[in-house]
Amino acid sequence: MTTVGNDTARTETRPDTVVRANPVRDTWNVLTRELKPVVRDPFTLIFSLVQPLVFLGLFAPLLVGSSGQPVGETLQWFVPGVLVMIVLFGTGATGSNLQYEMMTGSHERTLVAPLARSSLLVGRALKEIAPIVVQALIIVLIAWPFGFTINVPGLVIGLALLAVFGVGLGSLSYTLALKTKDREWLFWGVQQTLIFPLLILSGMLLPLDEGPAWMKAISTVNPVNWVVQAERALLAGDLGDITVLWGWIAALVLAALGLWAGIRAMRKSS
């Protein structure tokens, strides 16, 4: 007999054998399950770096030419934005994996397992941390020989900030997948409609200092903008800058909102 509740599941194979859901254990099991394909095929991490590398290789020289600043100084401003871009495009699209599982029926088979419903979302969201850290380190190491200065404490805190931001964004992506179900076109339509305004209005690629007033106003409520500014301060070694605090607040609020919405959507899908 199998009984499935909102957040817990219990499986009885014999009258004296009961398997109860444990959120911490179940989250770890889901996390390791989601990481296995990444470990078996690490080339996917490198392939997903194509877009950030294109921006780094083709867009950065244009910034150097237009700003008149040294290459190292320009990279110090541009590379943090590229790191946030990795999170924005990577975790923002990760819900498509869950949507594929729902379309093929594998997600439904997971739902009957004796797992806490919250772990099915939290474990998937935490999985995003590993690719974020690996890809960010690769980009930093590539930029280093060209004059980018690595501040180790700032880099460590910056990676932690990216991880929290990625968990939140990934959770929202999974929430969108659970809401759109098998309507793949709707998932990508909403995702693309949101992702590019968030990118442009964050000052990630171009500074917003000379932009119109309405763009500056919108950027002040764009959480991506605050994460980008915090990353620039951290990687420059300005650990006490006020933008670091605002970046953490934005990332933590996004993570809390994303996990709440995702767990709620996962329970409803049971």
Side-chain angles (χ1 to χ4, degrees), residues 86-144:
I86 291 173
V87 181
L88 192 64
F89 281 98
T91 61
T94 196
S96 62
N97 298 328
L98 176 57
Q99 191 173 49
Y100 177 77
E101 290 184 13
M102 290 190 290
M103 293 170 65
T104 57
S106 61
H107 178 62
E108 284 68 20
R109 291 193 293 272
T110 305
L111 291 176
V112 300
L115 295 169
R117 292 295 164 260
S118 58
S119 70
L120 294 174
L121 189 284
V122 178
R124 283 184 169 94
L126 291 176
K127 183 267 295 184
E128 304 306 322
I129 294 176
I132 288 171
V133 171
V134 172
Q135 292 173 335
L137 287 174
I138 291 174
I139 290 294
V140 167
L141 291 175
I142 289 174
W144 182 33

Side-chain angles (χ1 to χ4, degrees), residues 179-199:
K179 292 296 185 180
T180 55
K181 300 185 185 300
D182 60 343
R183 292 170 292 179
E184 190 176 9
W185 60 270
L186 183 57
F187 173 86
W188 287 113
V190 174
Q191 194 262 359
Q192 295 294 305
T193 300
L194 294 175
I195 213 84
F196 285 102
L198 288 173
L199 183 149

Side-chain angles (χ1 to χ4, degrees), residues 30-265:
V30 173
L31 172 62
T32 54
R33 170 183 175 268
E34 293 294 317
L35 281 175
K36 284 179 180 178
V38 179
V39 175
R40 285 197 297 263
D41 186 19
F43 180 75
T44 55
L45 292 178
I46 306 301
F47 184 76
S48 60
L49 283 173
V50 170
Q51 188 177 50
L53 287 174
V54 167
F55 276 95
L56 190 62
L58 300 181
F59 201 85
L62 294 176
L63 284 177
V64 173
S66 61
S67 66
Q69 300 294 329
V71 175
E73 189 172 332
T74 302
L75 288 176
Q76 209 68 39
W77 183 90
F78 187 62
V79 169
V82 174
L83 301 187
V84 179
M85 182 193 300
I86 291 173
V87 181
L88 192 64
F89 281 98
T91 61
T94 196
S96 62
N97 298 328
L98 176 57
Q99 191 173 49
Y100 177 77
E101 290 184 13
M102 290 190 290
M103 293 170 65
T104 57
S106 61
H107 178 62
E108 284 68 20
R109 291 193 293 272
T110 305
L111 291 176
V112 300
L115 295 169
R117 292 295 164 260
S118 58
S119 70
L120 294 174
L121 189 284
V122 178
R124 283 184 169 94
L126 291 176
K127 183 267 295 184
E128 304 306 322
I129 294 176
I132 288 171
V133 171
V134 172
Q135 292 173 335
L137 287 174
I138 291 174
I139 290 294
V140 167
L141 291 175
I142 289 174
W144 182 33
F146 297 95
F148 180 76
T149 302
I150 299 177
N151 180 276
V152 177
L155 177 61
V156 172
I157 299 173
L159 290 175
L161 176 58
L162 290 176
V164 173
F165 178 59
V167 167
L169 199 60
S171 298
L172 290 175
S173 183
Y174 287 125
T175 304
L176 179 59
L178 289 165
K179 292 296 185 180
T180 55
K181 300 185 185 300
D182 60 343
R183 292 170 292 179
E184 190 176 9
W185 60 270
L186 183 57
F187 173 86
W188 287 113
V190 174
Q191 194 262 359
Q192 295 294 305
T193 300
L194 294 175
I195 213 84
F196 285 102
L198 288 173
L199 183 149
I200 295 170
L201 295 172
S202 68
M204 187 183 299
L205 300 177
L206 292 170
L208 296 175
D209 299 338
E210 303 301 325
W214 65 267
M215 291 186 72
K216 295 179 183 178
I218 295 176
S219 70
T220 60
V221 294
N222 180 4
V224 184
N225 171 51
W226 293 110
V227 174
V228 170
Q229 290 193 45
E231 288 293 327
R232 284 177 178 147
L234 287 169
L235 296 182
D238 300 328
L239 308 187
D241 195 287
I242 187 63
T243 58
V244 175
L245 174 62
W246 283 112
W248 273 103
I249 291 174
L252 289 169
V253 169
L254 187 70
L257 177 63
L259 289 171
W260 173 80
I263 291 171
R264 193 163 179 262

